[in-house]
Structures are given as C-alpha cells and as structure tokens.
Amino acid sequence: MPEPGARETASSVIALLEGAFMLGRAARSTAPVLAAAKAAAAIVRAASAGG
C-alpha cells in the first residue's frame, strides 16, 4: 500500500480502536472492541484492495 494511504488507514484504525476501548471500559463490555476489530479488518482489506 502506498505511503499516504497506509498512514491514513493506520490512523483511522487506531482512532477506531481507541474509541472502542473507551466505550468498552465505560460499558464494562467487550462488545465495542469486538465490533471495532471487525470494522478495522474491513477497513484494512478495503484499503489493501485499493477501494
């Protein structure tokens, strides 16, 4: 993946996971983190495919 896209993708995934971690702690639940993990994987797949 070219540098600009890789950096943007990484930043998005990190922000997504950090937000999910905070939501999970507040709710005392792993559900937000598990949902974010699936979304993060989809974001990386899409970025890798060029979409």
Side-chain angles (χ1 to χ4, degrees):
M1 181 182 317
E3 164 60 29
R7 185 175 301 278
E8 184 176 320
T9 300
S11 294
S12 296
V13 168
I14 290 168
L16 172 70
L17 294 173
E18 285 180 347
F21 181 70
M22 289 176 34
L23 288 172
R25 295 222 6 153
R28 295 179 185 241
S29 171
T30 59
V33 177
L34 296 174
K38 289 180 184 178
I43 289 169
V44 171
R45 275 193 303 274
S48 296

